[in-house]
Amino acid sequence: MAGRNQEESSYPDSISLDVLPASRESRNVSEETRRKKKRKIPWKNVGLAVFLFVVGSCMLLGGVFTLAEDGSRAFAMIVIGAIAFIPGAYATYISYNAWRQTPGFAFEQLPDYDRS
């Protein structure tokens, strides 16, 4: 029994502060500073996304309004509008949520058009 008490007392009385997790406040502060330093907005990508969104919307609306007058021209405008609208709306949605810093969205999700 004397050996058993000796084993129990072999544990250290003090705990090293290095192994304790950081407080919740210090983690939030470090995450905020990391995000502020790391956040770089790719303006070319955002501009192209908004441009495609606007052009696609205009072409879709123009195609719908000319549908009664000229069916073949309206169909072409609707197809071209959809080709521009779909990726434009997708990239604009990602850009907006990345700008708002919504969890799960980042500017890195946008396609990169820079050739540098």
Side-chain angles (χ1 to χ4, degrees):
M1 283 235 167
R4 188 173 215 177
N5 288 337
Q6 196 173 27
E7 286 178 20
E8 290 176 13
S9 65
S10 66
Y11 294 111
D13 292 334
S14 63
I15 298 174
S16 173
L17 294 177
D18 295 337
V19 297
L20 291 176
S23 69
R24 197 174 268 180
E25 292 174 4
S26 66
R27 275 185 273 166
N28 290 340
V29 170
S30 64
E31 284 180 25
E32 288 176 20
T33 56
R34 191 171 4 112
R35 269 193 239 150
K36 286 180 183 178
K37 289 179 184 177
K38 196 175 177 182
R39 188 173 173 206
K40 185 178 177 185
I41 300 174
W43 291 109
K44 288 181 184 179
N45 298 347
V46 173
L48 182 63
V50 171
F51 175 75
L52 286 174
F53 178 69
V54 170
V55 168
S57 299
C58 291
M59 293 289 284
L60 280 172
L61 288 174
V64 168
F65 288 133
T66 61
L67 193 59
E69 297 171 12
D70 189 8
S72 62
R73 183 175 294 172
F75 181 71
M77 288 179 70
I78 290 172
V79 168
I80 293 171
I83 290 172
F85 176 81
I86 293 170
Y90 173 74
T92 302
Y93 179 73
I94 290 175
S95 300
Y96 176 71
N97 283 308
W99 174 72
R100 287 188 61 214
Q101 296 181 351
T102 305
F105 292 93
F107 287 112
E108 289 80 26
Q109 295 173 332
L110 293 174
D112 190 19
Y113 300 111
D114 294 332
R115 293 184 180 225
S116 51

